[in-house]
Amino acid sequence: MSSNELSSINTKYCSSLTQYVRRKTTVVTIGNVPMGGDNPIRLQSMTTVDTMDTLGSVEQIIRMVDAGCEYVRVTAPSVKEAQNLAEIKKELLKRGYNVPLVADIHFTPNAAELAAKIVEKVRINPGNYADKKKFEQIDYTDESYQEELERIREKFVPLVKICKEYGTAMRIGTNHGSLSDRILSRYGDTPLGMVESALEFLRICEDLEYYNIVISMKASNTQVMVQAYRLLVQKLEEEGLRPYPLHLGVTEAGEAEDGRIKSAVGIGTLLEDGLGDTVRVSLTEAPEFEIPVAAKLVDRYQNRNNHKAIPFVEKNPINPYAYKRRQTTDVHTIGGTNVPRVIADFSQVENLDVQDLKSIGHFYLPALDKWSMNDLGADFIYTGHQKAPFMLPNGLKEIVDADTWKILPDQTHVYPLFAARWYKTDVVKHPKLNFVLADIEDIDEKLLLCLASDPTVVLILESFNEHAMAELRRSFITLLNREIKTPVLIKRAYKHKNEEALFLAASTDVGGLLVDGLGDGVFLSTSKTTPTDKTTLLTNLKALNNLAFGILQAARTRMTKTEYISCPSCGRTLFDLQETTAMIRKRTDHLKGVKIGIMGCIVNGPGEMADADYGYVGVGKDKIALYRGQTVVNKAVPSDRAVDELINIIKEDGKWLEPVVSEFV
Ligand code: SF4
């Protein structure tokens, strides 16, 4: 990193935008597994078994530890669960497991104070440690606000003193969905509100000279989450507070592929800039399955410091604390206000057939001689040196290599892809749309001048650097600083054999740019290796196409699916979350763009699903509360009728569509 860069960037959230450097943090003692400083980025998760079920909890914890979990969080909703942590600990030690335990506290200082004497760490939520939420908007004067802070101090100081005495660590874990009425009234539902919520508690800790602290800023909205963590780092430095380790997580990320993509977009974006000392991936799956995902996210940074050098940034034009899409011109439906586009790479598929396009959401119906398309229909195909030997559907356009394009008898609806070095000199171009493939080394003065003066060009930006996101971002910064408004598609090619690893890498690299408003489309491929049969190629294409749409959705830049904000479940969960999520999904997954929260309990559920349009929340045995936004519509519906009732509410709002029975999946 250059000192030049340090002095020139207008942000303090990371020490370099171009050289991977892990943020230097304080070391926190958590049992025998320290966090922060030069310690590895730790992996953790949370149990889902009732905390009063000692043996069930112990067995689950053992499965988690055997999967690589380094800290285990266990919910302690009341004093009796906090007390039972001692039994769980005893049994674990008896079985040779000395993993640090973390008590998860909401609303109950008594439970926290007891747990802090038993386990290695307590997690408090500053939104509900000293406050009960009444959803009130209160006009605070400076005086009345100060009085509130005094009240918090009174409730919080005893816990801090116990932690100090017992050497117990603490996480101050802010959640976007459960900010106090006080914070919401003064700062709103914003990243700044999230940061201030933690700082109110942190200042008390520092006053009492207690520093064994980790902080988190979780949200289900990846943009809000990324901005809040960055702002936290900046504020810690501005206020002269210590650089505490960060616990990274996206709340209620969901399940399966979507949960993994969303987690990687949020967590990966921060890891790329060297932030994060521990990771928890929250999936609606058994906690031991979260650990390999977290490990794959973190493993990418083991040797990252040795990446190829990237030119330093003299002026950073990106505001890391607020989303703003880079302004680009609309070039033939790419850029401008168009949704980001998806390009599918068919260049390795020989003898292209109409039915091959099924893999990317376009379906030919021979009986009707018509095309149909599902929500994940790609916008462009790149076919390399060959042109598709049939007419494409209306919603799909084709890109071929420039050499191939030049000899086509009809060039109207096919667009050329130029290598950057040829584009600068070539005179034969499409009158409406030309693609130029470039990496950072191609972006020289001549190319910039060509881009600035050509209203038909779309840049396809790629990177071969191990620190790819930063290198791609560096090229965007050049374009921004030169005020060049050419749309840019982000291209990445992956060699990964493991599909999950590929998903996580792509979600991090591409998502990390999208959350900062960079990119007008996504172009993913697997690098050419040994010849692969056509069926495998098409299966891969389908997976990459779904991934591209998944990343755009997770970064909140193009919504094509129903979004499920489901909690990962814990000892408080009142129904089988996986099964219920699958059931709700089956009935509603055609409702494009609708966000449904599925929460295991009423204690935290409504707060955690701040972002959802509708909520399905457990309130008791076989009893569900249904929400419209944050407002409860029905307080206790029997669970066997709850999904129908939920659909009725969606219908009342005019957001319901009958599912189309289709073979197109
Ligand atoms: S919302 Fe889910 S994860 Fe959160 S406390 Fe309730 S049951 Fe546990």
Side-chain angles (χ1 to χ4, degrees), residues 567-570 572-573 577 599-601 604-605 608:
C567 80
S569 87
C570 71
R572 286 193 173 111
T573 311
L577 256 158
M599 300 288 142
C601 78
N604 295 320
E608 304 288 339

Coordinates of all heavy atoms in Angstrom, one line a residue, residues 567-570 572-573 577 599-601 604-605 608, ligand 1:
C567 N -35.2 -16.8 9.4 CA -34.2 -16.8 10.5 C -33.5 -18.2 10.5 O -34.0 -19.2 10.0 CB -34.8 -16.5 11.8 SG -35.7 -17.8 12.6
P568 N -32.3 -18.3 11.0 CA -31.6 -19.5 11.0 C -32.1 -20.5 12.0 O -31.7 -21.7 12.0 CB -30.1 -19.1 11.3 CG -30.3 -17.9 12.1 CD -31.5 -17.2 11.6
S569 N -33.0 -20.1 12.9 CA -33.6 -20.9 14.0 C -32.6 -21.0 15.1 O -31.4 -20.9 14.9 CB -34.1 -22.2 13.6 OG -33.1 -23.2 13.6
C570 N -33.1 -21.2 16.3 CA -32.3 -21.3 17.5 C -33.1 -22.0 18.6 O -34.2 -22.6 18.2 CB -31.8 -19.9 18.0 SG -33.2 -19.0 18.7
R572 N -35.1 -21.0 20.5 CA -36.5 -20.4 20.7 C -37.5 -20.7 19.6 O -38.6 -20.4 19.7 CB -36.3 -18.8 20.7 CG -35.7 -18.2 21.9 CD -36.0 -16.7 21.8 NE -35.5 -16.1 23.0 CZ -34.5 -15.3 23.0 NH1 -33.8 -15.0 22.0 NH2 -34.1 -14.7 24.2
T573 N -37.0 -21.4 18.6 CA -37.8 -21.6 17.4 C -39.0 -22.4 17.7 O -38.9 -23.5 18.4 CB -37.0 -22.3 16.3 OG1 -35.8 -21.6 16.2 CG2 -37.7 -22.3 15.0
L577 N -38.3 -24.8 10.9 CA -38.1 -23.7 9.9 C -37.8 -24.1 8.5 O -38.4 -23.6 7.6 CB -36.9 -22.8 10.4 CG -37.4 -21.5 11.0 CD1 -36.4 -21.0 11.9 CD2 -37.8 -20.5 10.0
M599 N -40.1 -16.3 10.5 CA -39.3 -16.2 11.8 C -39.8 -17.1 12.8 O -41.0 -17.3 13.0 CB -39.5 -14.7 12.3 CG -39.0 -13.7 11.4 SD -37.2 -13.7 11.3 CE -36.9 -13.3 9.5
G600 N -38.8 -17.7 13.5 CA -39.2 -18.8 14.4 C -39.8 -18.4 15.7 O -40.4 -19.2 16.4
C601 N -39.7 -17.1 16.1 CA -40.3 -16.7 17.4 C -40.7 -15.2 17.3 O -40.2 -14.4 16.6 CB -39.3 -16.9 18.5 SG -38.0 -15.7 18.6
N604 N -37.8 -12.1 18.8 CA -36.9 -11.4 17.9 C -37.4 -11.3 16.4 O -37.0 -10.5 15.7 CB -35.5 -12.0 17.8 CG -34.9 -11.9 19.2 OD1 -35.0 -10.9 19.8 ND2 -34.2 -12.9 19.6
G605 N -38.3 -12.2 16.1 CA -38.8 -12.3 14.7 C -39.2 -11.0 14.1 O -38.6 -10.6 13.1
E608 N -36.3 -8.8 13.4 CA -35.3 -9.3 12.5 C -35.8 -9.2 11.0 O -35.0 -9.2 10.1 CB -35.0 -10.7 12.8 CG -34.5 -11.0 14.2 CD -33.1 -10.5 14.5 OE1 -32.4 -10.3 13.5 OE2 -32.8 -10.3 15.7
Ligands
SF4_1 S1 -36.1 -15.1 15.1 FE1 -35.4 -17.2 14.9 S2 -33.2 -17.2 15.3 FE2 -34.0 -15.2 16.0 S3 -34.4 -15.7 18.2 FE3 -36.3 -16.1 17.1 S4 -36.2 -18.3 16.6 FE4 -34.2 -17.7 17.2

